[in-house]
């Protein structure tokens, strides 16, 4: 496993900035009524999106969640296509049919956000089967939350991937909360990673706000998967800085938790390391922020200028083949 | 008193939990009542033993309700979104619906599944579905689908007191709809339809949100002198066939309006019921208003296309009258 | 050649697996083909990579099929008993049916779910159900329901080659039914009904096992000079409305026969379709034959009571003709 | 925890003989065409039925499986009611509506065999909730097989019971096979009990052919549950001597496995111990067999003599309250 060099570190930094800026912009747009739907953003959890993407190959697959914008941004999805989709525009990557919770971008192996928790855990083994059969050497990484880990598909998917030694990485983003419900009160034993032992697969808990730890853990798991040694389970501890969804009053948690999140800001943390290594200075960081802001401005401008779909487009895309009139 | 639909359900839960210590609520995020507020404040009054914030484990939430109901409690399950009943489909269709029957009536199964469902606010394909039609085809379940705050409160109270499993379909677009609710504890019986508006020309059989779209359509058509009778079955199982048939025999014209997709839906079943009871009373073919056969799309204009509205009811009424 | 229904399905699987290396089978106990023998011998020819004995994990079996289908394989899932699709309902109704649509057509989902279903041999409440009606109300799925060995083979082959998800409902009571199957590889297209017996007096629209009960009824009624036309839709989505309507326009009398419970069922949907297309052609109300609204009981006389038979079709035909 | 005294030992012995004799008789009756349905018997696994029942209180609850006759016989269910149900007779305990895979006998807390694998795992926590709320000091034990352990409800049920410290005993009968599929090839890691650690609850593997080990493990788990300390997971290794269902050709396993089962016969094993302790001799064993045979003869005679239900009885028992005509 190669430890990331200067370029890799800088691109992970830029990747986190891109995710953060994208999500913050989306929140503003939602507040301004430009974006519809039930919106869940990943502000504070950027190290996970950037670290996993950096450890994966471009042709590897990712299955995501209801909180998936960052995963797609980091995987290299088109910001224009993504933003236009969030707006529900005709040229959105899903023609406006998916929206925030159901976006996919097959061109970068991102096979879907998902409105149903833990669904990726059972879809992933099938992608693993096809990778194995095609001998493509790819890997599939499926994200799920600490709350989703309590659903049956987690168990069935991990077990299936384990017995067939499928190239799957099960990645749990533990941000302490499932909406208003504390993970500590809903996941028996308090550790998702500890469940790996029951299937005789590797399970580790990492600091999800340390992009290097995320990169290292996913690199290990991906190499193992490519070797044909089967799946791994990674639990990354992190903190969501914002509401579960936009509009969440957050009566269930203390301000202190968010403050803790800001203290452990994954972007600032890598920034300090890059400075220490002389790879980044204030001006350089500013350049990155400016460049990213420009990309996102472009995506917003594009989305704003794009047309809404014709209502009758609702009837398209259901079947690949359906010549019948009913 | 005036209450909105969600608060009327909250009142019903409070009243029944006060009346019967066996009643408890279970579901995800119900202590704070996220996202719809129906269970808000219950845990302050009744404590955490009776208002259980469950882990995200739909099969265990619903399956455990069966275990509790068989052994002396009365669970009221909040499905969070009815879309997720798919994650507990076996527990509903094979366990809850069949246990009493398969066991030869040895056990009772007094439980309620509250099913927040329906389209709106760009919820998208996984948070907008009408799934009640599936359960019509599952013998052993009773199904209610209120359209007003008073009916919501009265049906939920009846459902909680019913010895059998009852699914209550609550359209999430109605939660903030206001309406008059009796001061006195008033139960709405299962199997009794309600004529929401009398009229001599056409019978519109509608459920939940479509009752209101149909009333709006009736108001518009009244201006042209077309008198529409809007009949709300309120419960689908049992179904008040007598009231439906009575109306059809007077109007001889029928429109059936629902939100879910057209194919294999509740409306198709109701159309069959009308055919069976009133074939010779029909002066024209039944017209149906329902959603197109697609998942619910995200983008507002697409979602609007997938959402049956008053206009559609107006069009259907004109069709059956021409 | 003469083959039974199960062997015809086995032949279709062999032919398609030989033709297309992307096709694989997955399910419980399919290597030995327990309990119905449909997949027997496939692993000897195609090896364990393409005939996967899965753990008892219905959600993962069905969910993994979606993952494989999205990334280049063509899974054929054996549900073991269709009753257990409840254990993977989210994967079928929310994931498989909707992914292509929600993703704006970016992915194809070429997979088949083989659904052994139906009543018989005192299987009881958890191994006897007709569940196809649920999926009519789930846009995004294609549904087939063969009644003969030739149709079973032809429809399964077509389903495997179809780029969209197809559910194939195989009545377990038909697996050992023999019939003529073409030597040549013959596909049966979706959306094309088949007139199993021509007749001028009554159209009986029947599926799967009820096709045979209806043919038996037709033979008996022919002795009285009543000529029954038995029409088998073969696929429910897409549905060959033209053939159904064409028959009804000739006979002006309709009976619809299915095995599942009456309420909210496939037959209610088909009745609506006939009403919509042929209201003015009907000389009498449609009559329906279906199961009672109960779970399937165990004891032979009770199970027999729950099983629609030729007698019921005969009775229904007399009713529409009187 | 009390170790079983002479009477308890003898009644466990008699219990095993009763289950074995009942199942063997049922197999004969099935072969003779007297009993319909899909029949799964527990021949060889009697130590589990007898050992668990002996460790539970009469008012404790049991949730069973498709292979549940023995569990009910051991729990003290009426043999007449059970046999008549297997025959599908009107006076069967479920009026002929349930049959082999869906029998319940509420009078002894047996809340159901189940045709859907692992269902009991999610029903049990609800029974645990009602026990807790009623402060009745009862326990619920739910049986499931090694194959069923791979279904999602296992995960959801164990987790829920653990976080709420519910009085549930999860009892896995590992007889090595799920129909034709080897447990070793379908349960990752090879140990069901090992999965308990992931939920921070006790998990132990025991010899399921040693009725004393079963009794001891269930006694420990039940005491823990009654103390309010929550659920336990027990995996009992055993061997099914017969086919998965009656008519199973068993092409998937070697004759040697069945021979091994007979060598480790739980009845003979306890018999030797009882003899060694001078509690049982050949004559005593014969008396037990004769007495049990008489009970079962009575049940069969009763079932044979009982009437089949009137077909229209199919319409009863669906709802407790349904005055409507539709
Ligand atoms: C099967 C299912 N149940 C419930 C929900 C409603 N829901 C959406 S997000 C959420 C909380 C998820 O928590 P977690 O898995 O920890 O992810 P996070 O939101 O923290 O990223 C819930 C309950 C859902 N979408 N799917
Ligand atoms: C959810 C579900 N899937 C599949 C089946 C079909 N089936 C019945 S028994 C069985 C094997 C069960 O194995 P195990 O759980 O080990 O129990 P055992 O039969 O060995 O006692 C299968 C696959 C079922 N009844 N329920
Ligand atoms: Mg979380
Ligand atoms: Mg087993």
């Amino acid at each position: 496993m190669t430890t990331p060099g200067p370029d890799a570190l800088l691109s992970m930094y830029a990747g986190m900035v891109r995710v953060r800026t994208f999500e913050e912009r989306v929140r503003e747009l939602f507040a301004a009524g430009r974006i519809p739907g039930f919106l869940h953003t990943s502000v504070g959890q950027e190290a996970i999106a950037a670290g996993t993407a950096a450890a994966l190959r471009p042709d590897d697959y990712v299955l995501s969640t209801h909180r998936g914008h960052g995963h797609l941004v980091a995987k290299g999805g088109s910001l224009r296509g993504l933003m236009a989709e969030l707006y529900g525009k005709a040229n959105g990557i899903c023609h406006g049919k998916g929206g925030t919770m159901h976006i996919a971008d097959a061109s970068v192996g991102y096979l879907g956000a998902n409105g149903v928790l833990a669904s990726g855990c059972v879809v992933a083994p099938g992608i693993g089967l096809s990778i194995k059969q095609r001998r493509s050497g790819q890997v599939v990484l499926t994200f799920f939350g600490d709350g989703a880990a309590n659903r049956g598909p987690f168990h069935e998917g991990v077990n299936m991937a384990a017995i067939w030694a499928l190239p799957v990485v099960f990645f749990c983003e533990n941000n302490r909360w499932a909406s208003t419900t504390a993970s500590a009160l809903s996941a028996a034993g308090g550790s998702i990673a500890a469940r790996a032992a029951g299937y005789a697969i590797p399970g580790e808990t990492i600091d999800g706000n340390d992009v290097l730890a995320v990169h290292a853990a996913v690199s290990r798991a991906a190499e193992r998967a490519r070797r044909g040694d089967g799946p791994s389970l990674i639990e990354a501890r992190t903190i969501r800085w914002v509401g579960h969804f936009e509009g969440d009053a957050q009566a269930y948690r203390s301000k202190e938790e968010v403050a803790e999140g800001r203290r452990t800001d994954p972007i600032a943390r890598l920034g300090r390391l890059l400075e220490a290594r002389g790879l980044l200075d204030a001006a350089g960081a500013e350049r990155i922020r400016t460049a990213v802001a420009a990309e996102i401005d472009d995506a917003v401008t594009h989305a704003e200028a794009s047309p809404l779909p014709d209502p009758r487009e609702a009837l398209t895309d259901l079947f690949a083949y359906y010549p019948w009139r009913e | 008193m005036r209450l909105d639909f969600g608060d009327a359900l909250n009142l019903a839960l409070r009243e029944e939990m006060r009346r019967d210590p066996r009643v408890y609520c279970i579901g995800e995020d119900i202590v704070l009542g996220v996202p719809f507020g129906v269970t808000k404040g219950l845990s302050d009054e009744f404590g955490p033993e009776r208002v259980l914030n469950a882990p995200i484990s739909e099969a265990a939430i619903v399956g455990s309700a069966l275990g509790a109901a068989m052994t002396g409690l009365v669970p009221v399950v909040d499905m969070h979104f009815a879309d997720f009943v798919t994650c507990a489909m076996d527990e509903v269709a094979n366990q809850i619906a069949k246990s009493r029957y398969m066991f030869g009536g040895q056990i009772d199964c007094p439980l309620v599944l509250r099913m927040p469902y329906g389209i709106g606010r760009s919820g998208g394909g996984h948070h907008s579905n009408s799934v009640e039609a599936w359960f019509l085809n599952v013998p052993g379940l009773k199904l209610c689908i209120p359209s007003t705050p008073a009916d919501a409160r009265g049906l939920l109270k009846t459902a909680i007191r019913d010895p059998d499993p009852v699914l209550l379909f609550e359209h999430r677009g109605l939660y903030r709809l206001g309406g008059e609710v009796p001061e006195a504890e008033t139960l709405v019986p299962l199997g009794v339809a309600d004529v929401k508006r009398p009229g001599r020309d056409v019978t519109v059989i509608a459920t939940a949100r479509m009752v209101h779209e149909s009333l709006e359509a009736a108001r518009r058509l009244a201006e042209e002198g077309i008198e529409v009778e809007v009949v709300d079955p309120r419960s689908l199982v049992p179904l008040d066939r007598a009231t439906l048939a009575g109306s059809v025999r007077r109007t001889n014209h029928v429109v059936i309006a629902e939100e879910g997709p057209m194919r294999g839906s509740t409306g198709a079943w109701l159309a069959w019921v009308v055919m069976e009871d009133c074939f010779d009373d029909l002066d024209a073919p039944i017209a149906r208003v329902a959603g197109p056969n697609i998942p619910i799309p995200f983008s507002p204009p697409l979602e609007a296309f997938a959402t049956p509205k008053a206009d559609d009811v107006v069009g259907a009424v004109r069709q059956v009258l021409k």
Side-chain angles (χ1 to χ4, degrees), chain B residues 55-307:
Chain B
I56 300 167
S57 304
E58 284 74 15
I61 290 168
V62 176
S64 68
L66 172 61
M70 285 193 298
T71 56
L73 301 190
V74 180
V76 181
V77 174
D78 181 331
M79 276 310 313
H80 208 78
F81 282 81
D83 305 71
F84 310 139
V85 74
T86 51
C87 304
M89 190 68 174
D90 192 72
E91 289 66 32
V92 177
N94 277 328
Q95 307 301 326
I96 287 173
K98 293 174 180 167
S99 289
R100 183 176 210 285
Y101 184 83
M102 294 192 302
F103 299 166
Q106 286 183 74
I107 55 113
D108 279 350
C109 188
L111 65 84
V112 179
L113 300 184
R114 293 187 36 248
M115 311 279 274
Y117 84 101
I119 203 166
R121 299 189 25 242
S122 287
H126 288 156
H127 291 73
S128 305
N129 292 280
S130 296
V131 298
E132 77 280 3
W134 298 342
F135 301 100
L136 281 171
N137 199 231
V138 179
L141 303 173
K142 295 175 178 175
L143 311 182
C144 305
I145 182 162
S147 65
T148 67
D151 288 349
R153 179 223 201 173
L155 285 170
L156 177 52
K157 288 170 69 71
T158 304
I160 291 171
R161 298 183 191 192
D162 195 283
D164 298 312
V166 182
L167 275 59
L168 184 79
F169 290 90
E170 307 169 359
H171 195 291
R172 62 179 174 84
L174 297 180
Y175 281 124
R176 301 279 75 87
L177 173 91
E180 208 36 53
V181 174
E183 292 293 341
E185 279 199 43
T186 312
L187 275 70
V188 173
L190 303 190
V192 179
D194 188 43
V195 176
K196 295 297 186 195
R197 174 188 175 116
R200 65 173 183 281
D201 300 326
V202 187
T203 298
V204 175
I205 302 169
T207 51
R209 185 183 63 80
M210 292 311 293
V211 169
H212 302 280
E213 298 294 332
S214 300
L215 288 170
E216 167 60 22
R219 280 187 288 275
R220 291 192 214 159
L221 288 158
E223 294 165 8
E224 309 170 19
I226 298 171
E227 288 305 330
V228 174
E229 178 150 297
V230 179
V231 182
D232 177 356
R234 299 198 294 191
S235 74
L236 297 171
V237 182
L239 180 66
D240 181 358
R241 294 175 72 133
T243 298
L244 270 51
S247 175
V248 174
R249 295 206 176 93
R250 280 186 285 97
T251 65
N252 310 111
H253 296 86
V254 179
V255 169
I256 297 172
E258 69 190 313
E259 180 174 292
M262 185 66 83
R263 186 188 293 119
S265 70
T266 305
W269 162 246
L270 293 173
W272 163 253
V273 168
V274 171
M275 298 296 318
E276 195 175 29
D277 296 348
C278 310
F279 185 80
D280 298 329
D281 303 297
L282 290 174
D283 292 350
I286 295 167
R288 287 183 52 210
V289 173
N293 294 317
I294 52 170
I296 308 303
F298 165 80
S299 178
L302 303 180
E303 185 190 46
F305 179 87
T307 308

Side-chain angles (χ1 to χ4, degrees), chain A residues 223-266:
Chain A
E223 277 179 26
R224 179 171 194 278
R226 289 189 223 282
R227 273 201 313 272
D229 294 344
S232 307
L233 172 61
I234 299 167
E235 175 183 5
R237 304 271 175 152
T238 183
I239 296 175
R240 102 169 117 71
W241 292 14
V242 295
H244 167 59
F245 54 84
E246 289 309 299
D248 176 3
Q250 302 187 61
Y252 49 86
R253 69 172 177 177
S254 69
K255 300 239 170 314
E256 168 42 33
E257 181 176 320
V258 176
E260 179 189 349
R262 296 184 182 277
R263 279 198 305 277
T264 57
D265 179 358

